Amino acid sequence: MDVCLSSVQQAGRLEEGLDAPGGWLEVEKKEVVQKDSAEGPPGDSNEIEPSLQSLQKFVPTDYASYTQEYYRFAGRKIVIQESIESYGAVVWPGATALCQYLEEHAEELNLQDAKILEIGAGPGLVSIVASILGAQVTATDLPDVLGNLQHNLLKNTLKCTAHLPEVRALAWGEDLEQNFPKSTFYYDYVLASDVVYHHYFLDKLLATMVHLSQPGTLLLWANKFRFSTDYEFLDKFKQVFDTTLLAEYSESSVKLFKGIRK
Ligand SMILES: C[S@@+](CC[C@H](N)C(=O)[O-])C[C@H]1O[C@@H](n2cnc3c(N)ncnc32)[C@H](O)[C@@H]1O
């Protein structure tokens, strides 16, 4: 599997009509009005149809229900389009905790121009905040959520970040060396929020974390701990990563760990 949505190419197409009346920014303003009037998913209104044709490329067509959530990190208001139909289309508590940490420690982490890959990025909040803080971000997830992820990334980073984030498919444990060869893909940070819950890919997830972590890579993993399997994963994680608990958010039961490959 090698699906890669090139933000740069697609953003180029978007920018053609960006500042024109009815262009992308214009659509955004109208889209808010449309959403406020609870008319349903984007694309319902004839009034904005021409410009939506380009925007539609970034909107998942298989999600029947949409909502928008608003966040504020790194001095910016961030709008996330969510759908309750997929785990990967809603923001989880680990994501807001990790964003808070990145925002509060941006200088110390030296995020400016840092190379970052996020696994299981979902709707993209963490990747957006990392981009706003100056990093070069690759947001990855399973193919079916990439459309929504791309939509949110572009909506929140176009023309306001030094590096436009990239979106790529990455299924944990699958074709890692083929799609992300160690010789060419080096990351300063690997980010992961709420990727550990009750699913069948925990070993493949750990293998992915290991593959992406080279000497000098810091893995930042924020997770809400719920099940005994979450703690079992943590035990395995500690066997392969030197692990430091960086922060604990008692109100959400989220723990944030730093891992350095042993
Ligand atoms: C609970 S959601 C967390 C989303 C986001 N990180 C957040 O915290 O808001 C888990 C994410 O992992 C992704 N995921 C689940 N299984 C996966 C797999 N086998 N390979 C790659 N991604 C996977 C899901 O698509 C989803 O986006």
Side-chain angles (χ1 to χ4, degrees):
M1 179 189 331
D2 187 14
V3 179
C4 177
L5 305 180
S6 160
S7 323
V8 178
Q9 279 175 347
Q10 298 191 16
R13 236 179 285 152
L14 276 176
E15 284 196 52
E16 286 165 19
L18 197 62
D19 294 317
W24 194 59
L25 292 179
E26 198 67 24
V27 170
E28 297 239 284
K29 287 180 214 147
K30 288 180 182 169
E31 197 185 346
V32 170
V33 173
Q34 182 196 8
K35 290 208 181 271
D36 285 347
S37 63
E39 289 290 326
D44 281 0
S45 164
N46 289 335
E47 189 194 354
I48 56 173
E49 205 167 78
S51 301
L52 260 183
Q53 283 173 353
S54 56
L55 185 61
Q56 194 75 41
K57 290 186 178 67
F58 311 106
V59 178
T61 50
D62 56 338
Y63 299 155
S65 55
Y66 294 83
T67 178
Q68 286 196 350
E69 294 293 328
Y70 297 88
Y71 299 86
R72 180 164 281 279
F73 286 106
R76 295 191 68 90
K77 181 178 169 187
I78 297 168
V79 188
I80 299 289
Q81 176 174 273
E82 296 189 347
S83 165
I84 53 164
E85 290 193 359
S86 164
Y87 274 13
V90 290
V91 173
W92 287 58
T96 49
L98 184 49
C99 289
Q100 186 181 331
Y101 189 85
L102 293 178
E103 173 185 69
E104 288 170 356
H105 297 82
E107 259 184 60
E108 175 191 331
L109 295 170
N110 204 8
L111 292 181
Q112 202 67 46
D113 302 324
K115 294 205 74 178
I116 289 183
L117 181 135
E118 185 183 6
I119 53 175
L125 181 63
V126 170
S127 284
I128 290 165
V129 171
S131 296
I132 292 170
L133 293 170
Q136 306 176 55
V137 177
T138 301
T140 71
D141 208 301
L142 292 171
D144 61 336
V145 298
L146 295 187
N148 195 48
L149 175 59
Q150 177 78 309
H151 173 85
N152 285 330
L153 289 182
L154 278 176
K155 192 165 184 168
N156 290 286
T157 62
L158 196 61
K159 288 206 162 178
C160 66
T161 55
H163 309 282
L164 204 54
E166 190 185 340
V167 171
R168 287 196 63 175
L170 193 164
W172 300 330
E174 306 295 331
D175 302 324
L176 292 173
E177 185 54 29
Q178 188 181 318
N179 294 332
F180 294 87
K182 283 175 190 269
S183 54
T184 38
F185 290 89
Y186 172 84
Y187 297 101
D188 299 303
Y189 292 96
V190 173
L191 304 181
S193 65
D194 278 325
V195 289
V196 176
Y197 48 100
H198 198 67
H199 61 69
Y200 299 106
F201 304 98
L202 292 173
D203 288 342
K204 288 184 166 193
L205 170 62
L206 189 57
T208 304
M209 290 172 157
V210 167
H211 177 84
L212 295 167
S213 299
Q214 301 202 47
T217 303
L218 293 187
L219 192 147
L220 299 180
W221 164 43
N223 220 91
K224 182 170 173 115
F225 279 72
R226 297 180 174 90
F227 309 114
S228 60
T229 45
D230 301 343
Y231 290 98
E232 284 166 22
F233 181 90
L234 178 59
D235 288 341
K236 288 185 182 174
F237 182 88
K238 285 178 174 171
Q239 287 169 21
V240 276
F241 288 96
D242 283 321
T243 307
T244 310
L245 177 64
L246 291 179
E248 228 170 328
Y249 302 84
S250 51
E251 68 288 357
S252 59
S253 310
V254 170
K255 297 180 199 292
L256 170 58
F257 294 100
K258 175 177 81 174
I260 299 175
R261 178 81 201 277
K262 284 184 180 172

Tab-separated table of all heavy atoms in Angstrom, residues 71-74 78 80 91-106 109 111 118 124-130 133 191-193 220 222 249 254 256:
chain	number	residue	atom	x	y	z
A	71	TYR	N	-10.803	24.344	18.647
A	71	TYR	CA	-9.728	24.234	19.635
A	71	TYR	C	-8.881	25.483	19.548
A	71	TYR	O	-8.867	26.178	18.522
A	71	TYR	CB	-8.850	22.996	19.353
A	71	TYR	CG	-9.632	21.712	19.414
A	71	TYR	CD1	-10.314	21.233	18.285
A	71	TYR	CD2	-9.728	20.992	20.596
A	71	TYR	CE1	-11.067	20.072	18.343
A	71	TYR	CE2	-10.476	19.822	20.656
A	71	TYR	CZ	-11.138	19.377	19.530
A	71	TYR	OH	-11.886	18.223	19.596
A	72	ARG	N	-8.133	25.781	20.604
A	72	ARG	CA	-7.183	26.893	20.543
A	72	ARG	C	-5.844	26.416	21.081
A	72	ARG	O	-5.726	26.034	22.239
A	72	ARG	CB	-7.690	28.099	21.342
A	72	ARG	CG	-6.724	29.280	21.305
A	72	ARG	CD	-7.360	30.565	21.753
A	72	ARG	NE	-8.175	31.170	20.715
A	72	ARG	CZ	-7.704	31.915	19.702
A	72	ARG	NH1	-6.415	32.132	19.597
A	72	ARG	NH2	-8.524	32.443	18.831
A	73	PHE	N	-4.873	26.372	20.190
A	73	PHE	CA	-3.505	26.002	20.579
A	73	PHE	C	-2.544	26.886	19.815
A	73	PHE	O	-2.843	27.311	18.679
A	73	PHE	CB	-3.208	24.530	20.244
A	73	PHE	CG	-3.878	23.544	21.160
A	73	PHE	CD1	-4.970	22.809	20.736
A	73	PHE	CD2	-3.409	23.359	22.455
A	73	PHE	CE1	-5.596	21.901	21.577
A	73	PHE	CE2	-4.032	22.455	23.304
A	73	PHE	CZ	-5.124	21.722	22.863
A	74	ALA	N	-1.402	27.139	20.409
A	74	ALA	CA	-0.327	27.905	19.765
A	74	ALA	C	-0.859	29.231	19.217
A	74	ALA	O	-0.456	29.684	18.141
A	74	ALA	CB	0.304	27.076	18.640
A	78	ILE	N	-8.386	26.564	15.912
A	78	ILE	CA	-8.282	25.415	14.997
A	78	ILE	C	-9.669	24.783	14.853
A	78	ILE	O	-10.353	24.536	15.854
A	78	ILE	CB	-7.274	24.385	15.555
A	78	ILE	CG1	-5.880	25.024	15.639
A	78	ILE	CG2	-7.236	23.123	14.695
A	78	ILE	CD1	-4.878	24.220	16.436
A	80	ILE	N	-11.782	21.631	13.525
A	80	ILE	CA	-11.637	20.229	13.131
A	80	ILE	C	-12.993	19.674	12.703
A	80	ILE	O	-13.965	19.710	13.465
A	80	ILE	CB	-11.096	19.373	14.312
A	80	ILE	CG1	-9.719	19.863	14.765
A	80	ILE	CG2	-11.044	17.898	13.929
A	80	ILE	CD1	-8.591	19.586	13.811
A	91	VAL	N	-11.516	13.691	17.620
A	91	VAL	CA	-10.337	14.015	18.429
A	91	VAL	C	-10.453	13.299	19.774
A	91	VAL	O	-11.474	13.394	20.454
A	91	VAL	CB	-10.229	15.540	18.640
A	91	VAL	CG1	-9.108	15.869	19.622
A	91	VAL	CG2	-10.003	16.242	17.297
A	92	TRP	N	-9.409	12.602	20.142
A	92	TRP	CA	-9.382	11.839	21.401
A	92	TRP	C	-8.621	12.626	22.466
A	92	TRP	O	-7.838	13.516	22.141
A	92	TRP	CB	-8.748	10.467	21.137
A	92	TRP	CG	-9.674	9.555	20.375
A	92	TRP	CD1	-10.228	9.793	19.148
A	92	TRP	CD2	-10.172	8.291	20.796
A	92	TRP	NE1	-11.033	8.744	18.781
A	92	TRP	CE2	-11.013	7.800	19.770
A	92	TRP	CE3	-9.981	7.511	21.929
A	92	TRP	CZ2	-11.677	6.577	19.867
A	92	TRP	CZ3	-10.632	6.276	22.014
A	92	TRP	CH2	-11.470	5.827	20.994
A	93	PRO	N	-8.844	12.272	23.752
A	93	PRO	CA	-8.221	13.062	24.830
A	93	PRO	C	-6.693	13.096	24.785
A	93	PRO	O	-6.075	14.087	25.173
A	93	PRO	CB	-8.726	12.407	26.112
A	93	PRO	CG	-9.431	11.169	25.711
A	93	PRO	CD	-9.765	11.255	24.272
A	94	GLY	N	-6.081	12.014	24.289
A	94	GLY	CA	-4.617	12.006	24.179
A	94	GLY	C	-4.121	13.105	23.254
A	94	GLY	O	-3.033	13.665	23.454
A	95	ALA	N	-4.921	13.424	22.245
A	95	ALA	CA	-4.503	14.442	21.277
A	95	ALA	C	-4.460	15.834	21.916
A	95	ALA	O	-3.490	16.574	21.728
A	95	ALA	CB	-5.460	14.444	20.080
A	96	THR	N	-5.494	16.168	22.678
A	96	THR	CA	-5.485	17.508	23.292
A	96	THR	C	-4.365	17.601	24.336
A	96	THR	O	-3.720	18.639	24.472
A	96	THR	CB	-6.858	17.845	23.920
A	96	THR	OG1	-7.269	16.766	24.738
A	96	THR	CG2	-7.897	18.095	22.849
A	97	ALA	N	-4.113	16.502	25.051
A	97	ALA	CA	-3.016	16.515	26.031
A	97	ALA	C	-1.673	16.706	25.323
A	97	ALA	O	-0.835	17.510	25.752
A	97	ALA	CB	-3.020	15.205	26.819
A	98	LEU	N	-1.472	15.997	24.225
A	98	LEU	CA	-0.193	16.116	23.508
A	98	LEU	C	-0.035	17.517	22.913
A	98	LEU	O	1.064	18.091	22.947
A	98	LEU	CB	-0.110	15.029	22.421
A	98	LEU	CG	1.182	14.916	21.626
A	98	LEU	CD1	2.420	14.888	22.525
A	98	LEU	CD2	1.172	13.654	20.744
A	99	CYS	N	-1.131	18.075	22.405
A	99	CYS	CA	-1.068	19.447	21.865
A	99	CYS	C	-0.680	20.440	22.961
A	99	CYS	O	0.134	21.342	22.743
A	99	CYS	CB	-2.419	19.857	21.265
A	99	CYS	SG	-2.783	19.004	19.743
A	100	GLN	N	-1.293	20.253	24.133
A	100	GLN	CA	-0.970	21.138	25.262
A	100	GLN	C	0.521	21.041	25.594
A	100	GLN	O	1.193	22.049	25.809
A	100	GLN	CB	-1.821	20.734	26.470
A	100	GLN	CG	-1.688	21.666	27.653
A	100	GLN	CD	-2.536	21.198	28.843
A	100	GLN	OE1	-3.579	20.545	28.677
A	100	GLN	NE2	-2.070	21.503	30.044
A	101	TYR	N	1.040	19.824	25.584
A	101	TYR	CA	2.458	19.637	25.900
A	101	TYR	C	3.349	20.282	24.833
A	101	TYR	O	4.325	20.960	25.152
A	101	TYR	CB	2.782	18.141	26.034
A	101	TYR	CG	4.170	17.913	26.558
A	101	TYR	CD1	4.426	17.917	27.927
A	101	TYR	CD2	5.236	17.741	25.679
A	101	TYR	CE1	5.717	17.745	28.405
A	101	TYR	CE2	6.528	17.572	26.154
A	101	TYR	CZ	6.761	17.576	27.523
A	101	TYR	OH	8.043	17.430	27.987
A	102	LEU	N	3.001	20.072	23.562
A	102	LEU	CA	3.814	20.651	22.469
A	102	LEU	C	3.822	22.166	22.561
A	102	LEU	O	4.862	22.816	22.410
A	102	LEU	CB	3.249	20.226	21.108
A	102	LEU	CG	3.344	18.745	20.744
A	102	LEU	CD1	2.692	18.497	19.376
A	102	LEU	CD2	4.784	18.246	20.736
A	103	GLU	N	2.649	22.734	22.819
A	103	GLU	CA	2.512	24.188	22.925
A	103	GLU	C	3.366	24.727	24.079
A	103	GLU	O	4.095	25.706	23.926
A	103	GLU	CB	1.032	24.490	23.167
A	103	GLU	CG	0.678	25.917	23.467
A	103	GLU	CD	-0.805	26.018	23.793
A	103	GLU	OE1	-1.235	25.518	24.855
A	103	GLU	OE2	-1.540	26.590	22.999
A	104	GLU	N	3.312	24.047	25.210
A	104	GLU	CA	4.017	24.541	26.399
A	104	GLU	C	5.528	24.304	26.333
A	104	GLU	O	6.288	24.970	27.033
A	104	GLU	CB	3.454	23.855	27.656
A	104	GLU	CG	2.057	24.358	28.008
A	104	GLU	CD	1.392	23.520	29.111
A	104	GLU	OE1	1.995	22.511	29.548
A	104	GLU	OE2	0.264	23.876	29.509
A	105	HIS	N	5.958	23.350	25.480
A	105	HIS	CA	7.387	23.000	25.452
A	105	HIS	C	8.005	23.190	24.064
A	105	HIS	O	9.033	22.575	23.754
A	105	HIS	CB	7.589	21.549	25.907
A	105	HIS	CG	7.150	21.318	27.327
A	105	HIS	ND1	5.845	21.093	27.662
A	105	HIS	CD2	7.840	21.310	28.488
A	105	HIS	CE1	5.749	20.939	28.974
A	105	HIS	NE2	6.951	21.070	29.502
A	106	ALA	N	7.363	24.031	23.240
A	106	ALA	CA	7.796	24.158	21.831
A	106	ALA	C	9.276	24.526	21.716
A	106	ALA	O	10.010	23.952	20.902
A	106	ALA	CB	6.932	25.184	21.116
A	109	LEU	N	11.614	21.730	22.950
A	109	LEU	CA	11.608	20.610	22.001
A	109	LEU	C	12.232	20.993	20.671
A	109	LEU	O	12.479	20.146	19.817
A	109	LEU	CB	10.168	20.122	21.756
A	109	LEU	CG	9.440	19.518	22.955
A	109	LEU	CD1	7.956	19.307	22.647
A	109	LEU	CD2	10.080	18.183	23.363
A	111	LEU	N	11.039	22.714	18.034
A	111	LEU	CA	10.137	22.219	16.990
A	111	LEU	C	10.296	22.924	15.646
A	111	LEU	O	9.868	22.409	14.618
A	111	LEU	CB	8.680	22.343	17.456
A	111	LEU	CG	8.296	21.416	18.607
A	111	LEU	CD1	6.835	21.609	18.979
A	111	LEU	CD2	8.558	19.954	18.256
A	118	GLU	N	3.519	11.670	12.489
A	118	GLU	CA	2.490	11.228	13.439
A	118	GLU	C	1.848	9.945	12.938
A	118	GLU	O	1.483	9.842	11.760
A	118	GLU	CB	1.400	12.307	13.620
A	118	GLU	CG	0.413	11.857	14.702
A	118	GLU	CD	-0.766	12.790	14.954
A	118	GLU	OE1	-0.930	13.776	14.210
A	118	GLU	OE2	-1.529	12.490	15.894
A	124	GLY	N	-6.353	14.852	12.861
A	124	GLY	CA	-5.184	15.681	12.580
A	124	GLY	C	-4.825	16.791	13.547
A	124	GLY	O	-3.906	17.566	13.270
A	125	LEU	N	-5.494	16.869	14.700
A	125	LEU	CA	-5.232	18.007	15.590
A	125	LEU	C	-3.751	18.117	15.972
A	125	LEU	O	-3.161	19.203	15.919
A	125	LEU	CB	-6.103	17.912	16.853
A	125	LEU	CG	-5.927	19.056	17.849
A	125	LEU	CD1	-6.331	20.402	17.245
A	125	LEU	CD2	-6.722	18.810	19.135
A	126	VAL	N	-3.138	17.014	16.345
A	126	VAL	CA	-1.738	17.051	16.789
A	126	VAL	C	-0.819	17.507	15.647
A	126	VAL	O	0.059	18.360	15.834
A	126	VAL	CB	-1.306	15.666	17.329
A	126	VAL	CG1	0.201	15.621	17.552
A	126	VAL	CG2	-2.045	15.351	18.620
A	127	SER	N	-1.043	16.960	14.460
A	127	SER	CA	-0.211	17.359	13.314
A	127	SER	C	-0.393	18.834	12.982
A	127	SER	O	0.561	19.518	12.596
A	127	SER	CB	-0.560	16.503	12.088
A	127	SER	OG	0.009	15.219	12.222
A	128	ILE	N	-1.612	19.322	13.120
A	128	ILE	CA	-1.875	20.747	12.847
A	128	ILE	C	-1.096	21.621	13.833
A	128	ILE	O	-0.425	22.574	13.445
A	128	ILE	CB	-3.389	21.039	12.928
A	128	ILE	CG1	-4.105	20.387	11.735
A	128	ILE	CG2	-3.665	22.535	12.976
A	128	ILE	CD1	-5.609	20.293	11.881
A	129	VAL	N	-1.181	21.277	15.110
A	129	VAL	CA	-0.492	22.096	16.125
A	129	VAL	C	1.028	22.029	15.909
A	129	VAL	O	1.722	23.050	15.971
A	129	VAL	CB	-0.896	21.640	17.550
A	129	VAL	CG1	-0.026	22.312	18.611
A	129	VAL	CG2	-2.371	21.955	17.785
A	130	ALA	N	1.546	20.847	15.605
A	130	ALA	CA	2.990	20.724	15.352
A	130	ALA	C	3.388	21.570	14.139
A	130	ALA	O	4.446	22.211	14.128
A	130	ALA	CB	3.363	19.263	15.134
A	133	LEU	N	3.482	25.177	15.016
A	133	LEU	CA	4.677	25.460	15.831
A	133	LEU	C	5.967	25.378	15.007
A	133	LEU	O	7.056	25.487	15.547
A	133	LEU	CB	4.733	24.504	17.028
A	133	LEU	CG	3.609	24.722	18.069
A	133	LEU	CD1	3.578	23.590	19.090
A	133	LEU	CD2	3.787	26.070	18.784
A	191	LEU	N	5.115	11.101	16.784
A	191	LEU	CA	4.039	11.462	17.709
A	191	LEU	C	2.908	10.435	17.618
A	191	LEU	O	2.588	9.950	16.516
A	191	LEU	CB	3.480	12.860	17.377
A	191	LEU	CG	4.490	14.010	17.354
A	191	LEU	CD1	3.774	15.324	17.037
A	191	LEU	CD2	5.243	14.117	18.682
A	192	ALA	N	2.307	10.146	18.746
A	192	ALA	CA	1.206	9.181	18.763
A	192	ALA	C	0.265	9.549	19.904
A	192	ALA	O	0.709	9.733	21.035
A	192	ALA	CB	1.754	7.766	18.972
A	193	SER	N	-1.015	9.694	19.590
A	193	SER	CA	-1.979	9.946	20.670
A	193	SER	C	-3.135	8.962	20.561
A	193	SER	O	-3.714	8.774	19.485
A	193	SER	CB	-2.491	11.396	20.629
A	193	SER	OG	-3.226	11.658	19.470
A	220	LEU	N	6.969	10.614	21.243
A	220	LEU	CA	6.073	11.169	22.261
A	220	LEU	C	4.724	10.494	22.115
A	220	LEU	O	4.073	10.623	21.071
A	220	LEU	CB	5.939	12.694	22.089
A	220	LEU	CG	7.227	13.511	22.229
A	220	LEU	CD1	6.945	15.006	22.036
A	220	LEU	CD2	7.890	13.273	23.587
A	222	ALA	N	1.030	9.917	23.877
A	222	ALA	CA	0.031	10.293	24.894
A	222	ALA	C	-1.136	9.328	24.780
A	222	ALA	O	-1.615	9.045	23.678
A	222	ALA	CB	-0.460	11.715	24.653
A	249	TYR	N	-2.257	13.815	33.084
A	249	TYR	CA	-3.410	14.710	33.091
A	249	TYR	C	-4.525	13.978	33.832
A	249	TYR	O	-5.251	13.176	33.249
A	249	TYR	CB	-3.812	15.072	31.652
A	249	TYR	CG	-2.668	15.728	30.900
A	249	TYR	CD1	-1.688	14.954	30.270
A	249	TYR	CD2	-2.535	17.117	30.856
A	249	TYR	CE1	-0.620	15.545	29.609
A	249	TYR	CE2	-1.465	17.719	30.197
A	249	TYR	CZ	-0.515	16.917	29.581
A	249	TYR	OH	0.556	17.507	28.935
A	254	VAL	N	-4.987	10.757	31.065
A	254	VAL	CA	-3.995	10.648	29.985
A	254	VAL	C	-2.596	10.714	30.579
A	254	VAL	O	-2.308	11.549	31.439
A	254	VAL	CB	-4.178	11.783	28.943
A	254	VAL	CG1	-2.997	11.807	27.962
A	254	VAL	CG2	-5.486	11.599	28.180
A	256	LEU	N	1.501	10.914	29.350
A	256	LEU	CA	2.343	11.232	28.185
A	256	LEU	C	3.750	10.713	28.445
A	256	LEU	O	4.391	11.088	29.435
A	256	LEU	CB	2.353	12.756	27.952
A	256	LEU	CG	3.357	13.308	26.943
A	256	LEU	CD1	3.165	12.696	25.569
A	256	LEU	CD2	3.222	14.818	26.852
